[in-house]
Amino acid sequence: MESIQTPDWVSDAIFYQIFPDRFAWSEQVTKPSNLEPWDAPPTNHGFKGGDLLGIAERLDYLVDLGVTAIYLNPIFQSTANHRYHTYDYRQVDPILGGNKALRSLLDEAHRRGMRVILDGVFNHASRGFFQFNDIVENGPASPYLDWFYVKHFPLRPYHAPKGKHGYEAWWNLPALPKLKVSTPAVREFLLDIATTWIEYGADGWRLDVPAEIDDDLFWQEFRCRVKAANPEAYIVGEIWHEARRWLQGDQFDAVMNYPVTRACLGFFIGDNLARDQVAKSGYHQIDTLDAAGFRREIECQLALYPRPITEVQFNLLGSHDTPRFKTLARGDHSACRLATLFQMTYPGAPCIYYGDEIGMEGNHDPDCRRGFPWDKHRWDRELWELVRQCIVLRKAHPALRRGDFVWLLAEHGVVAYLRRLGSEALLIVLNSTPAPLTLDLPVEGHLAEGARLREWWTGAPMRVQGNRLPAVRIPARSGAVFVAEKEPGP
Protein backbone atom coordinates (compact mmCIF):
# COMPACT_ATOMS: atom_id res chain seq x y z
CA MET A 1 0.00 0.00 0.00
CA GLU A 2 1.32 3.44 -0.88
CA SER A 3 1.63 6.09 1.80
CA ILE A 4 -1.83 7.37 2.71
CA GLN A 5 -2.35 11.07 2.09
CA THR A 6 -5.11 13.00 3.86
CA PRO A 7 -5.76 16.78 3.86
CA ASP A 8 -3.40 18.36 6.35
CA TRP A 9 -5.88 21.05 7.46
CA VAL A 10 -8.51 18.59 8.68
CA SER A 11 -6.50 17.50 11.75
CA ASP A 12 -6.67 21.10 12.95
CA ALA A 13 -10.30 21.72 11.98
CA ILE A 14 -13.30 22.36 14.19
CA PHE A 15 -16.36 21.51 12.09
CA TYR A 16 -19.89 22.86 12.50
CA GLN A 17 -22.74 21.05 10.75
CA ILE A 18 -25.53 23.25 9.43
CA PHE A 19 -28.97 22.18 8.23
CA PRO A 20 -29.46 25.14 5.87
CA ASP A 21 -33.24 25.49 6.17
CA ARG A 22 -32.99 25.86 9.96
CA PHE A 23 -29.89 27.90 10.88
CA ALA A 24 -30.35 31.52 9.81
CA TRP A 25 -32.54 33.70 7.60
CA SER A 26 -31.37 36.67 5.55
CA GLU A 27 -33.63 39.52 4.49
CA GLN A 28 -31.63 39.66 1.25
CA VAL A 29 -33.12 36.38 -0.02
CA THR A 30 -36.62 36.48 -1.47
CA LYS A 31 -38.80 33.80 0.09
CA PRO A 32 -42.00 32.01 -0.90
CA SER A 33 -44.99 32.84 1.28
CA ASN A 34 -46.02 29.46 2.69
CA LEU A 35 -43.29 28.89 5.28
CA GLU A 36 -43.54 27.38 8.73
CA PRO A 37 -42.97 29.73 11.68
CA TRP A 38 -39.30 29.57 12.66
CA ASP A 39 -39.98 28.46 16.23
CA ALA A 40 -42.79 26.03 15.43
CA PRO A 41 -42.04 22.31 15.76
CA PRO A 42 -40.51 21.15 12.46
CA THR A 43 -42.54 18.88 10.22
CA ASN A 44 -41.50 16.36 7.58
CA HIS A 45 -42.46 18.55 4.64
CA GLY A 46 -42.49 22.12 5.91
CA PHE A 47 -39.86 24.76 5.06
CA LYS A 48 -38.70 27.47 7.46
CA GLY A 49 -36.73 29.52 4.94
CA GLY A 50 -33.17 29.47 6.23
CA ASP A 51 -30.65 30.36 3.53
CA LEU A 52 -26.95 30.59 2.68
CA LEU A 53 -26.72 34.36 3.03
CA GLY A 54 -28.12 33.95 6.52
CA ILE A 55 -25.21 31.64 7.26
CA ALA A 56 -22.76 34.12 5.74
CA GLU A 57 -24.17 36.86 7.96
CA ARG A 58 -23.60 34.67 11.05
CA LEU A 59 -20.03 33.61 10.32
CA ASP A 60 -18.66 35.88 13.03
CA TYR A 61 -20.72 33.91 15.56
CA LEU A 62 -19.00 30.73 14.37
CA VAL A 63 -15.57 32.38 14.44
CA ASP A 64 -16.20 33.49 18.02
CA LEU A 65 -17.12 29.93 18.96
CA GLY A 66 -13.88 28.70 17.38
CA VAL A 67 -15.28 26.98 14.29
CA THR A 68 -12.90 26.67 11.33
CA ALA A 69 -14.94 24.52 8.90
CA ILE A 70 -18.60 24.12 7.95
CA TYR A 71 -20.39 21.01 6.75
CA LEU A 72 -23.58 21.92 4.91
CA ASN A 73 -26.44 19.48 4.49
CA PRO A 74 -27.56 19.38 0.82
CA ILE A 75 -28.02 22.75 -0.86
CA PHE A 76 -28.98 21.83 -4.43
CA GLN A 77 -32.44 22.36 -5.87
CA SER A 78 -34.92 20.01 -4.29
CA THR A 79 -38.55 19.71 -3.21
CA ALA A 80 -37.56 18.52 0.29
CA ASN A 81 -36.55 20.75 3.18
CA HIS A 82 -33.54 18.48 3.79
CA ARG A 83 -32.73 18.49 0.04
CA TYR A 84 -31.69 14.85 -0.18
CA HIS A 85 -34.20 14.60 -3.05
CA THR A 86 -32.00 16.32 -5.64
CA TYR A 87 -33.84 17.94 -8.54
CA ASP A 88 -30.93 19.79 -10.18
CA TYR A 89 -27.31 19.16 -9.14
CA ARG A 90 -26.09 22.28 -10.94
CA GLN A 91 -28.32 24.80 -9.18
CA VAL A 92 -28.34 25.81 -5.54
CA ASP A 93 -31.94 25.90 -4.34
CA PRO A 94 -33.55 29.32 -4.90
CA ILE A 95 -34.96 29.31 -1.35
CA LEU A 96 -31.34 29.17 -0.16
CA GLY A 97 -30.42 32.10 -2.40
CA GLY A 98 -29.21 30.24 -5.49
CA ASN A 99 -25.68 29.92 -6.81
CA LYS A 100 -24.84 33.55 -6.02
CA ALA A 101 -25.56 32.97 -2.35
CA LEU A 102 -23.19 30.01 -2.29
CA ARG A 103 -20.56 32.19 -3.96
CA SER A 104 -20.99 34.80 -1.24
CA LEU A 105 -20.85 32.22 1.54
CA LEU A 106 -17.70 30.59 0.17
CA ASP A 107 -15.99 33.94 -0.30
CA GLU A 108 -16.89 35.16 3.19
CA ALA A 109 -15.89 31.87 4.79
CA HIS A 110 -12.58 31.69 2.95
CA ARG A 111 -11.85 35.31 3.84
CA ARG A 112 -12.04 34.23 7.48
CA GLY A 113 -9.87 31.17 6.89
CA MET A 114 -12.86 28.80 7.14
CA ARG A 115 -13.49 25.80 4.89
CA VAL A 116 -16.87 24.63 3.57
CA ILE A 117 -17.74 21.07 2.55
CA LEU A 118 -20.91 20.12 0.70
CA ASP A 119 -23.23 17.14 1.00
CA GLY A 120 -23.08 14.90 -2.09
CA VAL A 121 -26.18 12.79 -2.76
CA PHE A 122 -25.00 10.56 -5.59
CA ASN A 123 -26.77 7.28 -4.90
CA HIS A 124 -30.25 8.52 -5.76
CA ALA A 125 -31.98 11.52 -7.29
CA SER A 126 -35.62 12.58 -7.08
CA ARG A 127 -38.83 12.16 -9.04
CA GLY A 128 -38.28 15.65 -10.43
CA PHE A 129 -34.77 14.90 -11.74
CA PHE A 130 -34.91 15.53 -15.50
CA GLN A 131 -33.67 12.15 -16.74
CA PHE A 132 -36.04 10.28 -14.43
CA ASN A 133 -38.95 12.48 -15.42
CA ASP A 134 -38.15 11.75 -19.06
CA ILE A 135 -38.58 8.01 -18.40
CA VAL A 136 -41.89 8.67 -16.63
CA GLU A 137 -43.12 10.65 -19.64
CA ASN A 138 -41.71 8.53 -22.48
CA GLY A 139 -41.58 5.04 -21.04
CA PRO A 140 -39.44 2.49 -22.96
CA ALA A 141 -38.68 5.12 -25.62
CA SER A 142 -36.82 7.40 -23.19
CA PRO A 143 -33.18 8.01 -24.19
CA TYR A 144 -32.34 7.93 -20.46
CA LEU A 145 -33.72 4.48 -19.80
CA ASP A 146 -30.37 3.17 -18.56
CA TRP A 147 -29.94 5.97 -16.00
CA PHE A 148 -32.14 4.10 -13.48
CA TYR A 149 -33.07 0.54 -12.54
CA VAL A 150 -36.40 0.18 -14.32
CA LYS A 151 -38.33 -3.00 -13.52
CA HIS A 152 -41.58 -2.58 -15.42
CA PHE A 153 -43.85 -0.04 -17.06
CA PRO A 154 -45.69 2.12 -16.52
CA LEU A 155 -43.67 3.74 -13.77
CA ARG A 156 -45.84 4.85 -10.91
CA PRO A 157 -43.81 7.38 -8.90
CA TYR A 158 -46.93 8.52 -7.02
CA HIS A 159 -49.67 6.66 -5.18
CA ALA A 160 -48.49 3.16 -6.04
CA PRO A 161 -48.86 0.27 -3.58
CA LYS A 162 -45.63 -0.26 -1.66
CA GLY A 163 -42.98 -1.79 -3.90
CA LYS A 164 -45.13 -1.49 -7.01
CA HIS A 165 -43.75 1.76 -8.44
CA GLY A 166 -41.73 -0.05 -11.14
CA TYR A 167 -38.13 0.94 -10.33
CA GLU A 168 -35.46 0.57 -7.67
CA ALA A 169 -35.46 3.29 -5.05
CA TRP A 170 -33.48 3.95 -1.89
CA TRP A 171 -35.14 2.08 0.98
CA ASN A 172 -37.93 1.38 -1.53
CA LEU A 173 -39.09 4.99 -1.25
CA PRO A 174 -40.56 6.02 -4.64
CA ALA A 175 -39.44 9.65 -4.12
CA LEU A 176 -35.79 8.50 -4.32
CA PRO A 177 -35.10 6.59 -7.56
CA LYS A 178 -31.69 4.94 -7.45
CA LEU A 179 -29.17 6.08 -10.05
CA LYS A 180 -27.54 3.36 -12.15
CA VAL A 181 -23.90 4.31 -11.60
CA SER A 182 -22.66 1.46 -13.79
CA THR A 183 -24.00 3.37 -16.82
CA PRO A 184 -21.09 5.40 -18.28
CA ALA A 185 -23.22 8.50 -18.82
CA VAL A 186 -24.41 8.48 -15.20
CA ARG A 187 -20.90 7.88 -13.95
CA GLU A 188 -19.51 10.80 -15.92
CA PHE A 189 -22.40 13.04 -14.89
CA LEU A 190 -21.74 12.45 -11.19
CA LEU A 191 -17.98 12.82 -11.49
CA ASP A 192 -18.46 16.07 -13.37
CA ILE A 193 -20.77 17.38 -10.65
CA ALA A 194 -18.19 16.43 -8.02
CA THR A 195 -15.37 18.32 -9.72
CA THR A 196 -17.52 21.26 -10.80
CA TRP A 197 -18.34 22.33 -7.24
CA ILE A 198 -14.80 21.75 -6.01
CA GLU A 199 -13.57 24.00 -8.81
CA TYR A 200 -16.27 26.48 -7.77
CA GLY A 201 -14.60 26.69 -4.36
CA ALA A 202 -16.08 24.00 -2.10
CA ASP A 203 -13.45 22.39 0.13
CA GLY A 204 -14.71 18.83 0.02
CA TRP A 205 -17.64 16.43 0.05
CA ARG A 206 -19.56 14.61 2.70
CA LEU A 207 -20.99 11.61 0.82
CA ASP A 208 -24.52 10.48 1.58
CA VAL A 209 -24.97 6.68 1.90
CA PRO A 210 -21.91 5.91 -0.27
CA ALA A 211 -21.98 2.21 0.61
CA GLU A 212 -25.14 1.99 -1.50
CA ILE A 213 -22.90 2.57 -4.54
CA ASP A 214 -21.16 -0.78 -4.25
CA ASP A 215 -18.40 0.08 -6.71
CA ASP A 216 -14.82 0.65 -5.55
CA LEU A 217 -13.72 1.74 -9.02
CA PHE A 218 -16.27 4.54 -9.01
CA TRP A 219 -15.11 5.86 -5.66
CA GLN A 220 -11.47 5.53 -6.67
CA GLU A 221 -12.16 7.60 -9.77
CA PHE A 222 -14.21 10.02 -7.67
CA ARG A 223 -11.18 10.57 -5.43
CA CYS A 224 -8.84 11.04 -8.38
CA ARG A 225 -11.09 13.65 -9.99
CA VAL A 226 -11.75 15.58 -6.78
CA LYS A 227 -8.11 15.55 -5.68
CA ALA A 228 -7.02 16.67 -9.16
CA ALA A 229 -9.29 19.70 -8.76
CA ASN A 230 -8.04 20.37 -5.22
CA PRO A 231 -5.46 18.07 -3.58
CA GLU A 232 -6.54 19.35 -0.14
CA ALA A 233 -10.23 18.59 -0.67
CA TYR A 234 -11.73 16.49 2.15
CA ILE A 235 -13.81 13.41 1.30
CA VAL A 236 -15.81 11.96 4.19
CA GLY A 237 -18.34 9.16 3.80
CA GLU A 238 -21.51 8.49 5.75
CA ILE A 239 -20.66 5.00 6.94
CA TRP A 240 -22.13 4.09 10.34
CA HIS A 241 -19.96 1.03 10.95
CA GLU A 242 -16.44 -0.33 10.41
CA ALA A 243 -15.23 1.18 7.13
CA ARG A 244 -11.82 -0.25 6.26
CA ARG A 245 -12.97 -1.06 2.74
CA TRP A 246 -13.25 2.65 1.95
CA LEU A 247 -10.34 3.89 4.09
CA GLN A 248 -7.30 2.40 2.36
CA GLY A 249 -6.15 5.73 0.99
CA ASP A 250 -7.69 5.25 -2.45
CA GLN A 251 -11.33 6.26 -1.80
CA PHE A 252 -12.36 8.38 1.21
CA ASP A 253 -10.23 10.37 3.62
CA ALA A 254 -12.52 9.58 6.55
CA VAL A 255 -16.01 8.56 7.59
CA MET A 256 -18.53 9.95 10.05
CA ASN A 257 -17.29 8.31 13.23
CA TYR A 258 -20.60 6.99 14.59
CA PRO A 259 -18.93 4.06 16.45
CA VAL A 260 -17.19 6.61 18.69
CA THR A 261 -20.49 8.51 19.05
CA ARG A 262 -22.15 5.30 20.21
CA ALA A 263 -19.38 4.69 22.76
CA CYS A 264 -19.86 8.23 24.13
CA LEU A 265 -23.60 7.68 24.46
CA GLY A 266 -23.08 4.34 26.18
CA PHE A 267 -20.54 5.64 28.69
CA PHE A 268 -21.24 9.30 29.42
CA ILE A 269 -25.03 8.88 29.45
CA GLY A 270 -25.18 5.18 30.29
CA ASP A 271 -28.33 3.91 31.97
CA ASN A 272 -29.95 7.35 31.71
CA LEU A 273 -30.09 7.05 27.91
CA ALA A 274 -33.49 7.77 26.32
CA ARG A 275 -33.75 4.32 24.74
CA ASP A 276 -37.14 4.95 23.17
CA GLN A 277 -35.56 7.63 21.01
CA VAL A 278 -32.51 5.46 20.29
CA ALA A 279 -34.78 2.70 18.99
CA LYS A 280 -36.43 5.08 16.51
CA SER A 281 -33.12 6.34 15.16
CA GLY A 282 -30.27 4.93 13.10
CA TYR A 283 -28.59 3.82 16.33
CA HIS A 284 -31.34 1.21 16.91
CA GLN A 285 -29.70 0.02 20.14
CA ILE A 286 -26.89 1.29 22.35
CA ASP A 287 -25.48 -0.71 25.24
CA THR A 288 -24.47 0.86 28.54
CA LEU A 289 -20.68 0.86 28.92
CA ASP A 290 -18.56 0.92 32.03
CA ALA A 291 -15.09 2.49 31.93
CA ALA A 292 -13.41 -0.72 30.78
CA GLY A 293 -16.02 -1.23 28.06
CA PHE A 294 -15.59 2.34 26.87
CA ARG A 295 -11.85 1.82 26.67
CA ARG A 296 -12.30 -1.37 24.64
CA GLU A 297 -14.58 0.39 22.15
CA ILE A 298 -12.21 3.32 21.73
CA GLU A 299 -9.16 1.05 21.42
CA CYS A 300 -10.97 -0.89 18.71
CA GLN A 301 -11.62 2.28 16.72
CA LEU A 302 -8.06 3.54 17.13
CA ALA A 303 -6.70 0.22 15.88
CA LEU A 304 -8.93 0.00 12.80
CA TYR A 305 -7.32 2.59 10.55
CA PRO A 306 -3.88 3.97 9.68
CA ARG A 307 -2.93 7.02 11.70
CA PRO A 308 -3.37 9.53 8.82
CA ILE A 309 -7.00 8.34 8.60
CA THR A 310 -7.60 8.38 12.36
CA GLU A 311 -6.37 11.96 12.63
CA VAL A 312 -8.97 13.20 10.12
CA GLN A 313 -11.93 11.07 11.19
CA PHE A 314 -15.16 13.08 11.42
CA ASN A 315 -15.99 12.90 15.15
CA LEU A 316 -19.53 13.87 16.05
CA LEU A 317 -21.89 13.67 19.02
CA GLY A 318 -25.01 13.95 16.88
CA SER A 319 -26.32 14.92 13.46
CA HIS A 320 -29.46 15.57 11.44
CA ASP A 321 -30.02 11.80 11.45
CA THR A 322 -29.98 11.34 15.24
CA PRO A 323 -31.85 12.68 18.25
CA ARG A 324 -30.00 15.53 19.95
CA PHE A 325 -27.32 14.43 22.43
CA LYS A 326 -28.89 16.45 25.24
CA THR A 327 -32.28 14.86 24.55
CA LEU A 328 -30.79 11.38 24.60
CA ALA A 329 -29.20 12.35 27.93
CA ARG A 330 -32.65 13.41 29.23
CA GLY A 331 -31.34 16.94 29.74
CA ASP A 332 -28.28 15.89 31.75
CA HIS A 333 -25.84 18.78 31.32
CA SER A 334 -22.98 16.79 32.81
CA ALA A 335 -23.18 14.16 30.06
CA CYS A 336 -22.91 16.94 27.44
CA ARG A 337 -19.89 18.42 29.22
CA LEU A 338 -18.07 15.11 29.59
CA ALA A 339 -18.72 14.04 26.01
CA THR A 340 -17.62 17.42 24.65
CA LEU A 341 -14.38 17.34 26.62
CA PHE A 342 -13.67 13.86 25.31
CA GLN A 343 -14.56 14.84 21.73
CA MET A 344 -12.21 17.84 21.85
CA THR A 345 -9.29 15.84 23.28
CA TYR A 346 -9.64 12.76 21.04
CA PRO A 347 -7.85 12.16 17.69
CA GLY A 348 -9.81 13.31 14.64
CA ALA A 349 -11.77 16.38 13.60
CA PRO A 350 -14.60 17.26 16.03
CA CYS A 351 -17.92 18.40 14.57
CA ILE A 352 -20.63 20.32 16.43
CA TYR A 353 -24.18 19.84 15.17
CA TYR A 354 -25.70 23.31 14.93
CA GLY A 355 -27.25 24.36 18.23
CA ASP A 356 -25.74 21.61 20.37
CA GLU A 357 -23.37 24.24 21.76
CA ILE A 358 -26.31 26.18 23.22
CA GLY A 359 -28.22 23.16 24.50
CA MET A 360 -30.76 22.64 21.72
CA GLU A 361 -32.88 19.55 22.15
CA GLY A 362 -34.90 17.40 19.76
CA ASN A 363 -36.14 13.87 19.29
CA HIS A 364 -35.54 11.80 16.15
CA ASP A 365 -36.00 13.63 12.87
CA PRO A 366 -37.60 15.94 12.01
CA ASP A 367 -37.55 17.19 15.62
CA CYS A 368 -33.73 17.27 15.73
CA ARG A 369 -33.88 19.84 12.91
CA ARG A 370 -35.47 22.77 14.74
CA GLY A 371 -34.87 26.42 13.89
CA PHE A 372 -31.81 27.87 15.63
CA PRO A 373 -32.95 30.25 18.41
CA TRP A 374 -31.02 33.50 17.93
CA ASP A 375 -32.49 34.97 21.13
CA LYS A 376 -29.52 34.52 23.50
CA HIS A 377 -31.86 34.41 26.50
CA ARG A 378 -32.84 30.93 25.30
CA TRP A 379 -29.25 29.67 25.22
CA ASP A 380 -27.46 27.53 27.74
CA ARG A 381 -24.64 30.06 28.13
CA GLU A 382 -22.68 27.83 30.49
CA LEU A 383 -22.60 25.05 27.91
CA TRP A 384 -21.71 27.50 25.12
CA GLU A 385 -18.76 28.78 27.15
CA LEU A 386 -17.61 25.24 27.95
CA VAL A 387 -17.68 24.30 24.25
CA ARG A 388 -15.79 27.46 23.36
CA GLN A 389 -13.15 26.82 26.04
CA CYS A 390 -12.73 23.19 24.94
CA ILE A 391 -12.07 24.47 21.42
CA VAL A 392 -9.54 26.98 22.78
CA LEU A 393 -7.85 24.07 24.60
CA ARG A 394 -7.70 21.95 21.47
CA LYS A 395 -6.32 24.77 19.34
CA ALA A 396 -3.69 25.65 21.94
CA HIS A 397 -2.14 22.18 22.06
CA PRO A 398 -0.98 20.34 18.94
CA ALA A 399 -0.75 17.14 21.01
CA LEU A 400 -4.56 17.05 21.13
CA ARG A 401 -4.72 17.16 17.34
CA ARG A 402 -1.72 15.12 16.23
CA GLY A 403 -0.28 13.45 19.31
CA ASP A 404 -0.18 9.87 20.56
CA PHE A 405 -3.17 8.58 22.56
CA VAL A 406 -2.23 6.48 25.62
CA TRP A 407 -4.62 5.02 28.19
CA LEU A 408 -3.64 5.48 31.84
CA LEU A 409 -6.76 4.30 33.66
CA ALA A 410 -10.23 2.91 32.90
CA GLU A 411 -12.06 1.62 35.95
CA HIS A 412 -14.84 2.43 38.43
CA GLY A 413 -16.45 4.96 36.11
CA VAL A 414 -13.25 6.91 35.48
CA VAL A 415 -11.12 7.11 32.36
CA ALA A 416 -7.75 8.84 32.07
CA TYR A 417 -5.52 9.13 29.03
CA LEU A 418 -2.43 10.97 27.86
CA ARG A 419 -1.97 12.91 24.64
CA ARG A 420 1.68 13.45 23.71
CA LEU A 421 3.50 15.11 20.83
CA GLY A 422 7.23 15.61 21.24
CA SER A 423 7.84 17.49 24.49
CA GLU A 424 4.16 18.41 24.90
CA ALA A 425 1.96 16.20 27.08
CA LEU A 426 -1.59 16.55 28.42
CA LEU A 427 -3.37 14.25 30.84
CA ILE A 428 -7.19 14.10 30.65
CA VAL A 429 -9.34 12.61 33.42
CA LEU A 430 -13.11 12.08 33.07
CA ASN A 431 -15.24 11.08 36.06
CA SER A 432 -18.60 9.69 34.97
CA THR A 433 -19.69 8.77 38.53
CA PRO A 434 -22.17 10.75 40.66
CA ALA A 435 -19.55 11.29 43.39
CA PRO A 436 -16.37 13.39 43.61
CA LEU A 437 -13.21 11.30 43.55
CA THR A 438 -9.59 11.62 44.63
CA LEU A 439 -7.23 9.50 42.54
CA ASP A 440 -3.58 8.56 42.30
CA LEU A 441 -2.95 8.28 38.57
CA PRO A 442 -0.20 5.96 37.29
CA VAL A 443 2.13 7.74 34.85
CA GLU A 444 5.23 5.54 34.91
CA GLY A 445 6.97 5.54 31.53
CA HIS A 446 4.98 8.57 30.42
CA LEU A 447 5.88 11.43 32.76
CA ALA A 448 9.21 11.80 34.53
CA GLU A 449 9.56 11.75 38.30
CA GLY A 450 9.09 15.28 39.58
CA ALA A 451 7.45 16.51 36.39
CA ARG A 452 5.21 19.48 37.04
CA LEU A 453 1.71 19.85 35.63
CA ARG A 454 -0.96 22.50 35.85
CA GLU A 455 -4.70 21.94 35.66
CA TRP A 456 -5.89 23.79 32.58
CA TRP A 457 -9.19 25.10 33.97
CA THR A 458 -8.11 26.15 37.48
CA GLY A 459 -4.35 26.59 37.19
CA ALA A 460 -3.82 24.27 40.17
CA PRO A 461 -0.25 22.85 40.20
CA MET A 462 0.57 19.12 40.47
CA ARG A 463 3.80 17.13 40.57
CA VAL A 464 4.61 13.52 39.69
CA GLN A 465 5.68 11.57 42.80
CA GLY A 466 6.54 7.87 42.91
CA ASN A 467 5.57 7.49 39.24
CA ARG A 468 2.08 8.70 40.04
CA LEU A 469 0.14 11.92 39.94
CA PRO A 470 -1.13 11.90 43.52
CA ALA A 471 -4.36 13.16 45.04
CA VAL A 472 -6.04 14.20 41.79
CA ARG A 473 -9.44 15.59 42.77
CA ILE A 474 -12.19 15.29 40.16
CA PRO A 475 -15.71 16.57 40.93
CA ALA A 476 -18.71 14.35 40.28
CA ARG A 477 -19.64 13.99 36.62
CA SER A 478 -16.80 16.22 35.55
CA GLY A 479 -13.36 16.23 33.96
CA ALA A 480 -9.94 17.77 34.31
CA VAL A 481 -7.04 18.46 31.97
CA PHE A 482 -3.47 18.59 33.27
CA VAL A 483 -0.83 20.19 31.05
CA ALA A 484 2.76 19.15 31.66
CA GLU A 485 5.07 22.12 32.05
CA LYS A 486 8.05 22.03 29.72
CA GLU A 487 11.39 21.71 31.44
CA PRO A 488 13.72 24.68 30.93
CA GLY A 489 16.39 24.11 28.29
CA PRO A 490 20.10 23.80 29.06
Side-chain angles (χ1 to χ4, degrees):
M1 181 187 304
E2 295 184 4
S3 175
I4 292 176
Q5 300 293 321
T6 53
D8 187 65
W9 63 269
V10 178
S11 298
D12 299 318
I14 305 292
F15 277 93
Y16 192 87
Q17 180 187 348
I18 294 177
F19 193 90
D21 188 60
R22 309 291 159 79
F23 183 64
W25 169 307
S26 173
E27 295 293 338
Q28 298 183 62
V29 178
T30 302
K31 299 290 193 306
S33 58
N34 187 32
L35 297 175
E36 288 183 347
W38 190 259
D39 291 329
T43 62
N44 283 321
H45 298 287
F47 287 74
K48 294 189 181 295
D51 57 70
L52 300 188
L53 290 186
I55 298 171
E57 292 166 3
R58 300 290 184 168
L59 288 179
D60 288 343
Y61 165 78
L62 298 181
V63 169
D64 190 32
L65 183 61
V67 170
T68 64
I70 297 170
Y71 152 44
L72 294 174
N73 283 111
I75 61 173
F76 301 120
Q77 195 163 359
S78 172
T79 56
N81 56 44
H82 48 72
R83 298 184 172 87
Y84 283 96
H85 299 52
T86 311
Y87 178 88
D88 188 339
Y89 288 85
R90 299 190 185 279
Q91 299 298 323
V92 174
D93 199 296
I95 298 178
L96 295 178
N99 293 7
K100 289 184 178 180
L102 177 60
R103 176 76 277 147
S104 295
L105 174 57
L106 291 173
D107 290 345
E108 287 299 312
H110 291 161
R111 188 169 64 83
R112 291 168 173 81
M114 302 174 73
R115 317 269 182 153
V116 180
I117 67 169
L118 306 180
D119 208 324
V121 188
F122 301 136
N123 172 69
H124 48 265
S126 72
R127 289 177 290 211
F129 183 68
F130 172 77
Q131 286 82 353
F132 181 78
N133 186 251
D134 191 283
I135 300 173
V136 173
E137 294 291 334
N138 295 310
S142 170
Y144 301 105
L145 193 62
D146 60 353
W147 277 57
F148 295 90
Y149 294 89
V150 176
K151 296 179 179 179
H152 57 76
F153 290 101
L155 300 191
R156 300 177 65 187
Y158 296 94
H159 312 304
K162 187 174 181 179
K164 302 295 185 181
H165 39 269
Y167 52 92
E168 287 190 22
W170 186 71
W171 278 27
N172 212 24
L173 298 171
L176 298 171
K178 181 175 173 61
L179 287 158
K180 193 172 185 179
V181 178
S182 59
T183 297
V186 176
R187 212 176 187 86
E188 188 58 34
F189 172 83
L190 295 176
L191 294 172
D192 182 64
I193 293 298
T195 56
T196 293
W197 291 108
I198 296 297
E199 291 168 351
Y200 192 80
D203 298 291
W205 288 103
R206 177 269 190 185
L207 302 172
D208 183 60
V209 296
E212 301 284 341
I213 300 178
D214 187 13
D215 186 336
D216 291 345
L217 292 176
F218 173 76
W219 291 122
Q220 288 163 358
E221 180 64 17
F222 182 95
R223 181 184 182 87
C224 288
R225 298 277 192 101
V226 167
K227 297 291 186 176
N230 179 2
E232 284 291 290
Y234 182 44
I235 303 172
V236 55
E238 184 206 6
I239 307 288
W240 287 57
H241 48 77
E242 178 272 314
R244 282 175 289 188
R245 170 182 173 182
W246 298 275
L247 298 180
Q248 299 294 315
D250 62 344
Q251 296 185 53
F252 310 157
D253 294 310
V255 294
M256 300 180 78
N257 209 352
Y258 281 110
V260 168
T261 314
R262 296 175 65 92
C264 289
L265 293 167
F267 179 57
F268 297 120
I269 302 177
D271 288 335
N272 193 42
L273 191 66
R275 299 190 183 280
D276 58 330
Q277 293 301 317
V278 169
K280 297 174 183 178
S281 73
Y283 294 130
H284 302 301
Q285 177 181 335
I286 291 176
D287 297 326
T288 298
L289 296 175
D290 60 12
F294 180 69
R295 173 177 177 169
R296 284 193 299 272
E297 291 296 320
I298 296 303
E299 283 181 338
C300 176
Q301 295 308 309
L302 289 172
L304 273 177
Y305 310 113
R307 185 158 177 164
I309 298 289
T310 297
E311 291 184 350
V312 300
Q313 283 284 72
F314 195 84
N315 295 333
L316 64 163
L317 297 177
S319 75
H320 64 292
D321 284 326
T322 70
R324 293 273 181 176
F325 190 95
K326 188 174 179 181
T327 298
L328 290 177
R330 302 182 191 274
D332 179 5
H333 292 249
S334 67
C336 299
R337 293 194 297 268
L338 285 166
T340 297
L341 183 52
F342 176 76
Q343 179 193 32
M344 294 295 172
T345 57
Y346 181 72
C351 181
I352 301 162
Y353 182 46
Y354 81 100
D356 277 358
E357 76 279 8
I358 59 167
M360 280 182 67
E361 296 201 41
N363 295 318
H364 66 93
D365 73 85
D367 195 45
C368 59
R369 306 169 182 180
R370 300 179 187 178
F372 188 99
W374 287 103
D375 178 359
K376 293 183 179 180
H377 294 95
R378 298 168 59 188
W379 295 7
D380 181 337
R381 296 291 297 182
E382 183 179 345
L383 179 58
W384 184 90
E385 183 59 28
L386 174 102
V387 172
R388 192 177 73 86
Q389 288 298 322
C390 284
I391 293 173
V392 169
L393 170 68
R394 184 176 180 87
K395 288 182 174 181
H397 296 284
L400 296 178
R401 310 191 301 272
R402 302 169 188 276
D404 295 334
F405 184 100
V406 181
W407 286 105
L408 300 178
L409 181 73
E411 59 185 32
H412 307 306
V414 178
V415 295
Y417 49 92
L418 190 77
R419 300 298 311 277
R420 180 188 289 282
L421 182 65
S423 62
E424 184 179 62
L426 294 90
L427 192 157
I428 298 94
V429 189
L430 304 174
N431 174 16
S432 73
T433 75
L437 297 174
T438 300
L439 308 166
D440 288 348
L441 291 174
V443 295
E444 184 174 5
H446 304 297
L447 295 174
E449 185 69 14
R452 293 171 298 179
L453 299 91
R454 194 168 294 276
E455 209 283 316
W456 194 79
W457 303 98
T458 65
M462 304 286 291
R463 184 182 290 271
V464 175
Q465 300 175 28
N467 292 315
R468 308 181 80 80
L469 198 62
V472 176
R473 297 179 178 87
I474 309 295
R477 300 286 296 169
S478 188
V481 178
F482 298 93
V483 183
E485 296 183 2
K486 295 181 180 179
E487 297 296 328

